[in-house]
Amino acid sequence: MDKEQCIKDYNKKIKRIIISEEEIKEAIKQAGEKISASYDGRPILLVSILKGSFVFLADICRAISVPCEIGFMCAKSYYEGTVSSGIVRITMDLDRDISKYHVIIIEDIVDTGRTLNDIVKLLKSRNPLSLKVVTLLDKPDRRLVDFKADMALFTIPDFFVIGYGLDCAENYRNLPYIAEYDTEVD
Ligand code: IMP
């Protein structure tokens, strides 16, 4: 679909809000408190997996009350429409040695689990002091590899979702809530 058609259909594709701004805010506050309590006094590196996690990262880092550093990696999962093709490529890597950090990967959603499975293997091979995964959303029904996040703020059914950093063809990342994307409407 071309860009102009996408903009025309923008609102009718937002089927319904499934997680509100308030619910996201509250869950992040609690996650931030837990992380701050368990990592206090240790060097933390939050690794945001772009692009989808940029909004979550911005909010969760401000809910953490102990010192932490931030790093970015870009992983691209190739989609055919709203279905994962299973191909994951690291297109931008971290800019530092992680062996002196307790690494916390910050992800938007675990779907098939392939992206994080690959990223965790890669980062573990670089010998961080420890490595945990925090995801905003988890879609366990869609899992194709054996992967479990250490912390998932919300578990959702098998919907294609948009908003709060998550996109469909690069649109909708700026919605302040998580919504179901309507794959039926044309
Ligand atoms: P996985 O490798 O299948 O677990 O997928 C990981 C990536 O696919 C996520 O980081 C998202 O960027 C994207 N993704 C998976 N499910 C959705 C969805 O429902 N909406 C938008 N993006 C998604």
Side-chain angles (χ1 to χ4, degrees), residues 123-174:
L123 294 189
K124 275 191 175 161
S125 73
R126 297 177 185 174
N127 301 312
L129 296 173
S130 68
L131 180 73
K132 298 268 190 219
V133 174
V134 175
T135 183
L136 177 71
L137 305 174
D138 189 10
K139 268 201 273 190
D141 297 347
R142 298 248 318 153
R143 209 68 98 246
L144 291 177
V145 294
D146 183 19
F147 181 85
K148 198 169 182 312
D150 299 284
M151 191 192 290
L153 277 56
F154 299 94
T155 299
I156 60 167
D158 182 11
F159 298 138
F160 193 82
V161 289
I162 48 173
Y164 200 76
L166 289 114
D167 73 312
C168 183
E170 296 299 331
N171 276 300
Y172 304 101
R173 294 192 195 275
N174 55 322

Side-chain angles (χ1 to χ4, degrees), residues 6-171:
C6 272
I7 290 165
K8 258 192 211 147
D9 291 346
Y10 191 87
N11 286 323
K12 62 179 179 190
K13 292 282 196 183
I14 304 171
K15 194 169 177 183
R16 68 193 171 98
I17 296 176
I18 59 169
I19 308 171
S20 69
E21 276 185 80
E22 292 69 30
E23 289 170 307
I24 296 172
K25 206 171 168 187
E26 182 52 35
I28 289 181
K29 182 174 172 277
Q30 288 177 18
E33 284 167 4
K34 267 191 204 152
I35 293 170
S36 308
S38 34
Y39 285 84
D40 193 13
R42 296 194 275 167
I44 311 173
L45 178 66
L46 301 180
V47 173
S48 161
I49 311 299
L50 294 172
K51 298 179 194 171
S53 74
F54 78 104
V55 181
F56 182 35
L57 184 266
D59 284 344
I60 200 157
C61 75
R62 288 176 294 171
I64 295 173
S65 55
V66 296
C68 64
E69 295 181 31
I70 311 286
F72 294 98
M73 276 182 97
C74 194
K76 211 162 168 42
S77 316
Y78 290 89
Y79 271 75
E80 285 136 16
T82 55
V83 180
S84 168
S85 68
I87 302 164
V88 180
R89 201 157 57 88
I90 309 290
T91 55
M92 187 184 90
D93 207 341
L94 289 169
D95 59 0
R96 72 193 87 175
D97 172 10
I98 61 169
S99 64
K100 293 183 174 56
Y101 293 96
H102 292 275
V103 170
I104 307 174
I105 297 178
I106 303 293
E107 177 63 307
D108 54 352
I109 187 165
V110 188
D111 186 34
T112 65
R114 284 167 165 150
T115 307
L116 279 180
N117 208 41
D118 284 1
I119 291 176
V120 164
K121 267 192 211 145
L122 176 70
L123 294 189
K124 275 191 175 161
S125 73
R126 297 177 185 174
N127 301 312
L129 296 173
S130 68
L131 180 73
K132 298 268 190 219
V133 174
V134 175
T135 183
L136 177 71
L137 305 174
D138 189 10
K139 268 201 273 190
D141 297 347
R142 298 248 318 153
R143 209 68 98 246
L144 291 177
V145 294
D146 183 19
F147 181 85
K148 198 169 182 312
D150 299 284
M151 191 192 290
L153 277 56
F154 299 94
T155 299
I156 60 167
D158 182 11
F159 298 138
F160 193 82
V161 289
I162 48 173
Y164 200 76
L166 289 114
D167 73 312
C168 183
E170 296 299 331
N171 276 300

